[in-house]
Amino acid sequence: MFHPELIEIGQRAKQAARQLAFASTESKNDALTLMSEALLKNEGEILKANSLDVQAAEEKGLKKSLVNRLRLTSASIAQISQSLKEVVALRDPVGEGEVWTRPNGLRIQQTRVPLGVVAMIYEARPNVTVDAAALCLKSGNVVILRGGSEALESNKVLARVIAEAAEESGLPSGCIQLITETNREWVQQLMRLNDYVDVIIPRGGAGLIQTVVQNATVPVIETGTGMCHAFVDRDADYKKAIPIVINAKTQNPGVCNALETMLIDDAVAENFLPLIGEELRKNQVEIKGCSRTCEILPYAVPAIEEDWVAEHLDLILSVKVVSGLDGALDHIYKYSTKHSETIITENYTRAQRFLREIDAAAVYVNASTRFTDGGRFGFGAEIGISTQKLHARGPMGLRELTTIKYIVYGDGQIVK
Amino acid sequence: MFHPELIEIGQRAKQAARQLAFASTESKNDALTLMSEALLKNEGEILKANSLDVQAAEEKGLKKSLVNRLRLTSASIAQISQSLKEVVALRDPVGEGEVWTRPNGLRIQQTRVPLGVVAMIYEARPNVTVDAAALCLKSGNVVILRGGSEALESNKVLARVIAEAAEESGLPSGCIQLITETNREWVQQLMRLNDYVDVIIPRGGAGLIQTVVQNATVPVIETGTGMCHAFVDRDADYKKAIPIVINAKTQNPGVCNALETMLIDDAVAENFLPLIGEELRKNQVEIKGCSRTCEILPYAVPAIEEDWVAEHLDLILSVKVVSGLDGALDHIYKYSTKHSETIITENYTRAQRFLREIDAAAVYVNASTRFTDGGRFGFGAEIGISTQKLHARGPMGLRELTTIKYIVYGDGQIVK
């Protein structure tokens, strides 16, 4: 049995979706502009609520990096407000499409339409509350937000402020709703609310995402976990290999497109490892090495099986010497989460084999895995990075928040 | 705990998928041609196995329409064989895509690649065994087939014949596998075999599909159930309305795009109902009417709530008088399975409102809902009709059996 209040949220969402689906781009942009302004106007209230969350998190002894993600400042509110204006500038995918005419005269128009009601389940990051709501709204989708409980007070104010602004601008009430109940049973029910929710997008760590995948009956877009590899081939140009490995590992180690494992062709291991090892040490990166790596680099720590499997999301790099490209392909095949993988090589044929045989959302030659990102790919925005194959794969922008509808114009055609 | 034999099937599939993913179009077409020939060569054995299934089904007292779907003949085997040659002629979507260059020189190529391993769960229709295998193979996907147990003997021979032909042509072994275990627990496990299966496509009745949606952890593409409506507006041209309603209801009443409910604008009910009623009677269609319909048509049977909800899939039409377009939209909103809906009208504005406000895979003006079909839409083939919004919606052809992969060509780029 579903909680009646959850059903009410679902019904309100569905009702709003029926109208929001064909709101004009202009009216959606007006709403986003008002939302952007409302955040600045209500800065004081937002900061006050946020300080309650931060204080409680600190008292609970939450990890410092998590407290930092939770904390809002005048500057970060200004940035969130600005990001809404950037969503205004993005192209609205709703209504785009193509059309063709069948021999019997039927005109078939394949048109982009919103998904309907999107439920976002995410961790204690108040900026996601606003980002997700803005991208959903721009693509004509109603959003039901369920953020991490540590950010509840912040999210309550943020969601109220932007929902009120959207409504004030003339969009239907219920376009943006926050679940304020922290009981986990509600999340379980939300995942099975097929009558009212069209898709669930979980954003966060591997645990959160697996919980949703295992329990949801509503269709899920799986995002995020990235066990990314770089393979340094025997024909790698070290002037490319070293900056790429350092960049992919250290530029922002806590994100899903950061490098977790470096594989090295055994033909060049003795030559390359001391060079990259030195650079990694300079950058405070701890090396977890296979036995061969540990022979070559006395300062490497022996890797355990877990080091090939789990994201470190920290200044730690697993390093393994493999028997050429085949060894690299086998290792990646076994451990990849199919997010982003790169090969560093000057050899044409091995580069092409890597691109072809690796099954991942993004495969690179001679570039950092950190590029797997909606903004860096040129999509203008990102609701997440899909690591599944259905619907969307890789960085998801506004277009991935839509589906299609076939509109068919006839003048009396029947099937023969 | 998974059955070890099922895990083996999964492992074999995954292994085959790794190679089949980049098999050339030529080699896939060679396999399809050999498969087509092998069916003809093995006609005797196929018919013998099929007659066992048919006999058992008849002894069990299976419905005649189901026995007919189960039965194979020389002619139907020739047709199935021919359909494989038609798949040869279809364009291979694998490798298609677009490319763009970012300001930093990174070249990003969005390329179509196979989904990987597709599991098909379907009813006792031996032709689906071959169709599904052919479409999966052409799009580079390995298929695991699980057909209705009444067709087991036929499927065993069909799957063996085409799998051997595919292997003989040089494709990896394991591209086409049939689950011959009829224990339902196997299907339950197949739906949760996330390590080896990329997507499940159930094909069949509402019960089968709901079971898969409710129990699968593997991503599902929901197909099929169609509670299709036609709305006869006050400005309908009866010369279009009558043929369209008769065609949509009677041309093939057992399929998902057949008409189930006709809605009539109250302004023309008294005028139109006797005309269409007469035609429906001529075509042996039973009318389940709302109270107003029963007043106007004395031969109509009073409809119960169930008549607005469930597919008849038979020569039965539910008929309801509604208060204009708004009444029609409300009724469809409440009862639609979002498959196919049509409005019959000469009024421009009401036609556009219907097209815009109805949320369904296909919405029509002045045409029969029976056109919702991959072949009739011009896709050349169809693996099913998706009634969900993620990944694919409406008729699914080869393109819908693929996903994308971003291939990124760099020359040392790092993120700043």
mmCIF file of all heavy atoms in Angstrom, chain B residues 95-119:
data_model
loop_
_atom_site.group_PDB
_atom_site.id
_atom_site.type_symbol
_atom_site.label_atom_id
_atom_site.label_comp_id
_atom_site.label_asym_id
_atom_site.label_seq_id
_atom_site.Cartn_x
_atom_site.Cartn_y
_atom_site.Cartn_z
ATOM 1 N N GLY B 95 27.310 1.389 -36.807
ATOM 2 C CA GLY B 95 28.371 2.187 -37.405
ATOM 3 C C GLY B 95 27.900 3.528 -37.948
ATOM 4 O O GLY B 95 28.710 4.384 -38.265
ATOM 5 N N GLU B 96 26.564 3.711 -38.050
ATOM 6 C CA GLU B 96 26.058 5.013 -38.481
ATOM 7 C C GLU B 96 26.242 6.031 -37.360
ATOM 8 O O GLU B 96 26.354 5.665 -36.190
ATOM 9 C CB GLU B 96 24.573 4.911 -38.837
ATOM 10 C CG GLU B 96 24.307 3.997 -40.023
ATOM 11 C CD GLU B 96 22.859 4.065 -40.501
ATOM 12 O OE1 GLU B 96 21.998 4.502 -39.725
ATOM 13 O OE2 GLU B 96 22.612 3.685 -41.660
ATOM 14 N N GLY B 97 26.243 7.297 -37.693
ATOM 15 C CA GLY B 97 26.348 8.291 -36.634
ATOM 16 C C GLY B 97 26.690 9.655 -37.136
ATOM 17 O O GLY B 97 26.611 9.927 -38.330
ATOM 18 N N GLU B 98 27.047 10.529 -36.200
ATOM 19 C CA GLU B 98 27.469 11.869 -36.598
ATOM 20 C C GLU B 98 28.725 12.249 -35.837
ATOM 21 O O GLU B 98 29.086 11.613 -34.851
ATOM 22 C CB GLU B 98 26.351 12.888 -36.364
ATOM 23 C CG GLU B 98 25.584 12.704 -35.082
ATOM 24 C CD GLU B 98 24.437 13.712 -34.943
ATOM 25 O OE1 GLU B 98 24.556 14.817 -35.484
ATOM 26 O OE2 GLU B 98 23.457 13.391 -34.251
ATOM 27 N N VAL B 99 29.387 13.275 -36.310
ATOM 28 C CA VAL B 99 30.670 13.637 -35.730
ATOM 29 C C VAL B 99 30.758 15.161 -35.638
ATOM 30 O O VAL B 99 30.168 15.860 -36.461
ATOM 31 C CB VAL B 99 31.809 13.033 -36.597
ATOM 32 C CG1 VAL B 99 31.840 13.630 -37.985
ATOM 33 C CG2 VAL B 99 33.161 13.154 -35.920
ATOM 34 N N TRP B 100 31.392 15.643 -34.589
ATOM 35 C CA TRP B 100 31.634 17.087 -34.490
ATOM 36 C C TRP B 100 32.987 17.311 -33.818
ATOM 37 O O TRP B 100 33.526 16.413 -33.188
ATOM 38 C CB TRP B 100 30.502 17.802 -33.739
ATOM 39 C CG TRP B 100 30.272 17.379 -32.325
ATOM 40 C CD1 TRP B 100 30.758 17.971 -31.191
ATOM 41 C CD2 TRP B 100 29.459 16.285 -31.871
ATOM 42 N NE1 TRP B 100 30.315 17.310 -30.078
ATOM 43 C CE2 TRP B 100 29.516 16.270 -30.455
ATOM 44 C CE3 TRP B 100 28.693 15.300 -32.516
ATOM 45 C CZ2 TRP B 100 28.845 15.315 -29.676
ATOM 46 C CZ3 TRP B 100 28.028 14.360 -31.740
ATOM 47 C CH2 TRP B 100 28.105 14.377 -30.340
ATOM 48 N N THR B 101 33.501 18.518 -33.991
ATOM 49 C CA THR B 101 34.809 18.834 -33.437
ATOM 50 C C THR B 101 34.659 19.940 -32.404
ATOM 51 O O THR B 101 33.977 20.929 -32.641
ATOM 52 C CB THR B 101 35.772 19.266 -34.561
ATOM 53 O OG1 THR B 101 35.807 18.221 -35.532
ATOM 54 C CG2 THR B 101 37.175 19.485 -34.015
ATOM 55 N N ARG B 102 35.266 19.726 -31.243
ATOM 56 C CA ARG B 102 35.179 20.719 -30.166
ATOM 57 C C ARG B 102 36.260 21.784 -30.376
ATOM 58 O O ARG B 102 37.237 21.530 -31.098
ATOM 59 C CB ARG B 102 35.379 20.011 -28.811
ATOM 60 C CG ARG B 102 34.287 18.993 -28.488
ATOM 61 C CD ARG B 102 32.954 19.645 -28.241
ATOM 62 N NE ARG B 102 33.027 20.564 -27.101
ATOM 63 C CZ ARG B 102 32.242 21.630 -26.945
ATOM 64 N NH1 ARG B 102 31.335 21.916 -27.845
ATOM 65 N NH2 ARG B 102 32.365 22.387 -25.889
ATOM 66 N N PRO B 103 36.095 22.924 -29.734
ATOM 67 C CA PRO B 103 37.084 24.002 -29.913
ATOM 68 C C PRO B 103 38.520 23.564 -29.609
ATOM 69 O O PRO B 103 39.468 24.058 -30.233
ATOM 70 C CB PRO B 103 36.616 25.066 -28.917
ATOM 71 C CG PRO B 103 35.147 24.835 -28.765
ATOM 72 C CD PRO B 103 34.950 23.355 -28.909
ATOM 73 N N ASN B 104 38.705 22.616 -28.691
ATOM 74 C CA ASN B 104 40.069 22.164 -28.360
ATOM 75 C C ASN B 104 40.601 21.125 -29.349
ATOM 76 O O ASN B 104 41.676 20.566 -29.138
ATOM 77 C CB ASN B 104 40.106 21.599 -26.932
ATOM 78 C CG ASN B 104 39.227 20.361 -26.786
ATOM 79 O OD1 ASN B 104 38.545 19.962 -27.730
ATOM 80 N ND2 ASN B 104 39.227 19.759 -25.616
ATOM 81 N N GLY B 105 39.862 20.851 -30.400
ATOM 82 C CA GLY B 105 40.334 19.924 -31.417
ATOM 83 C C GLY B 105 39.868 18.488 -31.231
ATOM 84 O O GLY B 105 40.056 17.648 -32.114
ATOM 85 N N LEU B 106 39.262 18.174 -30.087
ATOM 86 C CA LEU B 106 38.742 16.812 -29.888
ATOM 87 C C LEU B 106 37.664 16.557 -30.929
ATOM 88 O O LEU B 106 36.756 17.374 -31.108
ATOM 89 C CB LEU B 106 38.093 16.664 -28.513
ATOM 90 C CG LEU B 106 38.925 16.249 -27.314
ATOM 91 C CD1 LEU B 106 37.992 15.957 -26.146
ATOM 92 C CD2 LEU B 106 39.796 15.035 -27.605
ATOM 93 N N ARG B 107 37.751 15.391 -31.575
ATOM 94 C CA ARG B 107 36.729 15.023 -32.547
ATOM 95 C C ARG B 107 35.831 13.981 -31.888
ATOM 96 O O ARG B 107 36.313 12.916 -31.489
ATOM 97 C CB ARG B 107 37.401 14.462 -33.799
ATOM 98 C CG ARG B 107 36.483 14.337 -34.986
ATOM 99 C CD ARG B 107 37.266 14.448 -36.305
ATOM 100 N NE ARG B 107 38.499 13.682 -36.246
ATOM 101 C CZ ARG B 107 38.609 12.399 -36.613
ATOM 102 N NH1 ARG B 107 37.573 11.735 -37.055
ATOM 103 N NH2 ARG B 107 39.772 11.794 -36.546
ATOM 104 N N ILE B 108 34.554 14.296 -31.722
ATOM 105 C CA ILE B 108 33.622 13.403 -31.024
ATOM 106 C C ILE B 108 32.694 12.770 -32.049
ATOM 107 O O ILE B 108 32.033 13.465 -32.820
ATOM 108 C CB ILE B 108 32.810 14.167 -29.961
ATOM 109 C CG1 ILE B 108 33.770 14.818 -28.954
ATOM 110 C CG2 ILE B 108 31.822 13.232 -29.252
ATOM 111 C CD1 ILE B 108 33.082 15.580 -27.849
ATOM 112 N N GLN B 109 32.683 11.449 -32.064
ATOM 113 C CA GLN B 109 31.897 10.713 -33.038
ATOM 114 C C GLN B 109 30.845 9.899 -32.281
ATOM 115 O O GLN B 109 31.185 9.044 -31.465
ATOM 116 C CB GLN B 109 32.840 9.804 -33.818
ATOM 117 C CG GLN B 109 32.202 8.974 -34.885
ATOM 118 C CD GLN B 109 33.247 8.050 -35.523
ATOM 119 O OE1 GLN B 109 34.341 8.459 -35.892
ATOM 120 N NE2 GLN B 109 32.903 6.780 -35.620
ATOM 121 N N GLN B 110 29.578 10.216 -32.521
ATOM 122 C CA GLN B 110 28.499 9.468 -31.882
ATOM 123 C C GLN B 110 28.106 8.344 -32.838
ATOM 124 O O GLN B 110 27.599 8.616 -33.926
ATOM 125 C CB GLN B 110 27.317 10.392 -31.608
ATOM 126 C CG GLN B 110 26.284 9.785 -30.695
ATOM 127 C CD GLN B 110 24.962 10.505 -30.770
ATOM 128 O OE1 GLN B 110 24.394 10.675 -31.843
ATOM 129 N NE2 GLN B 110 24.442 10.914 -29.617
ATOM 130 N N THR B 111 28.334 7.116 -32.419
ATOM 131 C CA THR B 111 28.219 5.988 -33.340
ATOM 132 C C THR B 111 27.203 4.973 -32.821
ATOM 133 O O THR B 111 27.188 4.665 -31.635
ATOM 134 C CB THR B 111 29.584 5.263 -33.430
ATOM 135 O OG1 THR B 111 30.596 6.249 -33.614
ATOM 136 C CG2 THR B 111 29.623 4.282 -34.583
ATOM 137 N N ARG B 112 26.413 4.433 -33.717
ATOM 138 C CA ARG B 112 25.463 3.378 -33.320
ATOM 139 C C ARG B 112 26.203 2.063 -33.136
ATOM 140 O O ARG B 112 26.965 1.637 -34.003
ATOM 141 C CB ARG B 112 24.385 3.166 -34.387
ATOM 142 C CG ARG B 112 23.502 4.343 -34.581
ATOM 143 C CD ARG B 112 22.009 4.007 -34.502
ATOM 144 N NE ARG B 112 21.366 5.163 -33.927
ATOM 145 C CZ ARG B 112 20.902 5.236 -32.689
ATOM 146 N NH1 ARG B 112 20.912 4.195 -31.905
ATOM 147 N NH2 ARG B 112 20.391 6.341 -32.238
ATOM 148 N N VAL B 113 25.973 1.410 -32.002
ATOM 149 C CA VAL B 113 26.539 0.091 -31.722
ATOM 150 C C VAL B 113 25.408 -0.811 -31.222
ATOM 151 O O VAL B 113 24.378 -0.325 -30.769
ATOM 152 C CB VAL B 113 27.669 0.166 -30.663
ATOM 153 C CG1 VAL B 113 28.867 0.966 -31.184
ATOM 154 C CG2 VAL B 113 27.164 0.763 -29.358
ATOM 155 N N PRO B 114 25.596 -2.131 -31.314
ATOM 156 C CA PRO B 114 24.538 -3.032 -30.836
ATOM 157 C C PRO B 114 24.309 -2.874 -29.326
ATOM 158 O O PRO B 114 25.200 -2.419 -28.611
ATOM 159 C CB PRO B 114 25.099 -4.427 -31.134
ATOM 160 C CG PRO B 114 26.167 -4.213 -32.153
ATOM 161 C CD PRO B 114 26.736 -2.855 -31.893
ATOM 162 N N LEU B 115 23.135 -3.280 -28.871
ATOM 163 C CA LEU B 115 22.856 -3.265 -27.433
ATOM 164 C C LEU B 115 23.714 -4.298 -26.713
ATOM 165 O O LEU B 115 24.138 -4.084 -25.597
ATOM 166 C CB LEU B 115 21.376 -3.578 -27.182
ATOM 167 C CG LEU B 115 20.392 -2.471 -27.575
ATOM 168 C CD1 LEU B 115 18.962 -2.998 -27.570
ATOM 169 C CD2 LEU B 115 20.524 -1.286 -26.633
ATOM 170 N N GLY B 116 23.953 -5.443 -27.352
ATOM 171 C CA GLY B 116 24.765 -6.497 -26.748
ATOM 172 C C GLY B 116 24.002 -7.803 -26.719
ATOM 173 O O GLY B 116 23.903 -8.492 -27.730
ATOM 174 N N VAL B 117 23.443 -8.136 -25.553
ATOM 175 C CA VAL B 117 22.666 -9.370 -25.417
ATOM 176 C C VAL B 117 21.202 -9.005 -25.169
ATOM 177 O O VAL B 117 20.879 -8.320 -24.202
ATOM 178 C CB VAL B 117 23.190 -10.247 -24.261
ATOM 179 C CG1 VAL B 117 22.327 -11.493 -24.106
ATOM 180 C CG2 VAL B 117 24.651 -10.629 -24.493
ATOM 181 N N VAL B 118 20.330 -9.454 -26.067
ATOM 182 C CA VAL B 118 18.898 -9.187 -25.961
ATOM 183 C C VAL B 118 18.195 -10.482 -25.568
ATOM 184 O O VAL B 118 18.412 -11.515 -26.197
ATOM 185 C CB VAL B 118 18.329 -8.683 -27.314
ATOM 186 C CG1 VAL B 118 16.821 -8.513 -27.246
ATOM 187 C CG2 VAL B 118 19.012 -7.387 -27.739
ATOM 188 N N ALA B 119 17.385 -10.438 -24.526
ATOM 189 C CA ALA B 119 16.565 -11.598 -24.179
ATOM 190 C C ALA B 119 15.141 -11.332 -24.643
ATOM 191 O O ALA B 119 14.578 -10.287 -24.343
ATOM 192 C CB ALA B 119 16.593 -11.842 -22.672
#
